[in-house]
Amino acid sequence: MTLSSSFLLSVTTFIYLAAAVLYLTTWVFRVQKLGVLATAVTITGFLVQTVGMGLRWTESYQLGYGHVPLSNLYESLVFFSWVTILVYLVIEWRVRNRVIGAFSTPFATFAMAYASFSPDVHDEIQPLIPALQSNWLIAHVITCFLGYASFAVACGLGIMYLIKSKGGEEASSGLLGVLPSKRVMDSLMHQTIVFGFLWLSIGIITGAIWANEAWGTYWSWDPKETWSLITWFVYAIALHARFIKGWTGRKIAILAIIGFISVIFTYFGVNFLLSGLHSYGSTK
């Protein structure tokens, strides 16, 4: 059997699924040894995925195309899941709480499952169309997806915060007691939103420069551009409300979830529902 990037990336899907199940089991049954195993499985999946992405890059050169694997929906989904796991592992290492994995690794699992098994997503390596033949492609995609991945983790933290808030007096015991404190989750939500906001801002700027190079204009009010700006405003409002109005906790958690819904629509909804200059970034 020939070892291909598609095979390794498909295997990664099942590894992340196993990690998500282990994290969830660790939270529900409070078995610490399973948490250690979940971390080990997640790191294994991350390493396998890294090798798979590197192999896909090599395969691109072998086919004579020679481009970074960031050029279509399949490759962007793979990269999104890879960055999401990276951001999560950094948070787990900092906070020393593995329950967060039950709310973060599913995002990476769903992204890989959709990339690997959806009939609408094609994993063939193809030559770049003229608009994508630019070094700005790498800068734009990497910065945007660093933002998207951070927002995914912030959304997971927001869900955790709302669940813990609903617990009332019981939040300090049982399943809710295992979750990080609301103060810690609020701080992590803020940090991941700030981190994601900075990278999304850079992504929008690099995209504008690239657009001027490819299409002769910095901004065209293309649906993808418009929704990227809407997403940027959602997180700008969250940060503004925190800095100026002192919003914390539940309100920021709700904005973190709304913001990620906007990210999902910018990422998928625009591709499938609205045609525009970014239509090349859909399923092919």
Side-chain angles (χ1 to χ4, degrees):
M1 180 178 64
T2 303
L3 189 64
S4 68
S5 62
S6 295
F7 174 75
L8 286 179
L9 295 173
S10 295
V11 169
T12 303
T13 306
F14 293 102
I15 297 177
Y16 284 160
L17 176 62
V21 171
L22 286 169
Y23 278 122
L24 187 62
T25 306
T26 300
W27 176 42
V28 174
F29 296 101
R30 283 165 278 175
V31 182
Q32 294 302 315
K33 289 182 179 178
L34 282 182
V36 176
L37 179 60
T39 300
V41 170
T42 303
I43 293 173
T44 300
F46 182 76
L47 294 176
V48 171
Q49 187 176 16
T50 303
V51 173
M53 292 166 64
L55 186 56
R56 186 174 179 89
W57 197 347
T58 302
E59 291 168 351
S60 171
Y61 275 94
Q62 291 171 344
L63 291 170
Y65 304 144
H67 60 75
V68 179
L70 298 170
S71 63
N72 56 26
L73 182 59
Y74 174 82
E75 292 171 348
S76 69
L77 283 164
V78 170
F79 185 68
F80 168 75
S81 69
W82 185 82
V83 182
T84 300
I85 291 296
L86 178 61
V87 171
Y88 164 68
L89 286 173
V90 171
I91 290 177
E92 181 186 304
W93 175 74
R94 281 193 55 205
V95 181
R96 309 291 183 189
N97 188 308
R98 294 188 169 90
V99 177
I100 300 172
F103 295 85
S104 300
T105 54
F107 289 115
T109 305
F110 289 143
M112 287 303 301
Y114 186 60
S116 299
F117 306 119
S118 171
D120 296 326
V121 181
H122 306 282
D123 65 353
E124 295 89 357
I125 299 175
Q126 297 176 336
L128 293 176
I129 64 173
L132 298 179
Q133 294 173 5
S134 168
N135 290 330
W136 288 107
L137 166 69
I138 302 172
H140 177 61
V141 175
I142 288 178
T143 52
C144 281
F145 279 90
L146 275 169
Y148 288 178
S150 300
F151 294 147
V153 176
C155 177
L157 289 163
I159 294 170
M160 291 173 66
Y161 190 97
L162 294 180
I163 291 174
K164 185 135 185 166
S165 297
K166 286 287 185 183
E169 296 180 355
E170 297 178 357
S172 60
S173 61
L175 289 178
L176 300 183
V178 184
L179 298 176
S181 69
K182 290 196 287 186
R183 182 185 60 79
V184 169
M185 286 191 285
D186 179 68
S187 176
L188 288 173
M189 271 192 297
H190 175 62
Q191 292 171 14
T192 49
I193 288 176
V194 168
F195 186 76
F197 183 76
L198 290 174
W199 283 114
L200 178 62
S201 300
I202 297 172
I204 290 175
I205 293 170
T206 55
I209 296 172
W210 180 19
N212 185 56
E213 182 181 279
W215 302 318
T217 178
Y218 289 100
W219 197 267
S220 308
W221 294 107
D222 170 77
K224 180 77 79 176
E225 294 173 348
T226 303
W227 273 95
S228 294
L229 191 60
I230 291 171
T231 300
W232 186 89
F233 272 114
V234 171
Y235 288 106
I237 290 169
L239 293 176
H240 177 80
R242 188 179 184 95
F243 289 133
I244 305 300
K245 299 291 185 181
W247 283 17
T248 58
R250 182 180 173 81
K251 292 177 180 176
I252 297 298
I254 292 172
L255 284 173
I257 295 169
I258 292 173
F260 191 62
I261 291 172
S262 181
V263 167
I264 293 295
F265 188 81
T266 303
Y267 190 7
F268 294 106
V270 171
N271 285 347
F272 291 109
L273 301 176
L274 304 172
S275 62
L277 293 170
H278 286 78
S279 296
Y280 56 79
S282 58
T283 59
K284 298 293 183 180

